[in-house]
Amino acid sequence: MEFLRLRLAVLGVLAIVGSLGLRVTRASAAPKCRWVCDEGSNRDSRLTYDSRMEMNEGRQARRLGVDPYPPQPTPPTHRVAFSVARTTPIGPLPNDTILPFDFMFSNAGGAFDMETGLFTAPVSGTYFFSFRGQKRSAQYLMYLGLWKNGEEMAGVYEDNLDPQNPNPSPGNASNNLILHLFERDQVYLMISDNAIAFSTVFGKYVGFSGFLLFPDNPYA
Ligand SMILES: *[C@@H]1O[C@H](CO)[C@@H](O)[C@H](O)[C@H]1NC(C)=O
Ligand SMILES: *[C@@H]1O[C@H](CO)[C@@H](O)[C@H](O)[C@H]1NC(C)=O
């Protein structure tokens, strides 16, 4: 009888200690609600399913001795880079004309349209562009402009005309700039009316390149 009472007492004490322990762990679990927590009144339902999973994963990671919050890889961003050229001369033309290209070095992201000569920004951000042209004419100057949405941003020209010399030494010009573009802005080269731009398969002296330096939204 005495022995039974002792056992009951021991069990009672164990039960109290156990429930205290449970309360302590529950209480200490509450401030760990660092992630998104539900508004519910019941303490146990305050953690969302996802945050509970995250906590379990964190505990398991610590148990295995690995960093529960390792550095995340850089999120994927838009990859935009193109480089195109002409393999033939162009001009003189009766009016300003968007320069068409027939040779593609690269067009990562596919934002440059070879048919129209238009680069269309797939994402808002800061872009780099460079372009070049050559003159091999005694009568016509070379003039190329870089345009954005109908507005000229920069140009290159070669105008040392010498009608006495039918084979003047070639003149070369290039320019480059960094532009902020919004998504769907268009950038293209324009050859001026009555101008020429000389190019060959070998030299590809007329060319246009551009790439995204960084997007406005780093997660875009
Ligand atoms: C510019 O000239 C080309 C011919 O080289 C012609 O097809 C085009 O319609 C002209 N554009 C304008 C706006 O006059
Ligand atoms: C332009 O480049 C060509 C080669 O493509 C060269 O022969 C010529 O001398 C250059 N012109 C000048 C003014 O440097």
Side-chain angles (χ1 to χ4, degrees), residues 120-201:
T120 306
V123 63
S124 297
T126 300
Y127 290 80
F128 174 88
F129 294 100
S130 90
F131 57 109
R132 63 187 183 277
Q134 191 179 80
K135 179 183 82 64
R136 285 195 200 185
S137 167
Q139 302 102 51
Y140 300 101
L141 56 74
M142 190 275 290
Y143 191 102
L144 301 176
L146 183 140
W147 290 60
K148 177 186 123 182
N149 301 338
E151 192 187 343
E152 185 165 355
M153 300 280 111
V156 289
Y157 73 97
E158 263 290 337
D159 66 350
N160 50 342
L161 305 177
D162 180 8
Q164 307 306 315
N165 180 3
N167 289 307
S169 156
N172 316 286
S174 67
N175 206 340
N176 60 69
L177 64 166
I178 291 172
L179 278 180
H180 179 268
L181 301 179
F182 290 107
E183 192 179 332
R184 290 191 291 279
D185 276 352
Q186 292 192 311
V187 175
Y188 44 92
L189 292 192
M190 189 88 91
I191 181 167
S192 291
D193 66 310
N194 248 8
I196 61 98
F198 186 82
S199 205
T200 64
V201 173

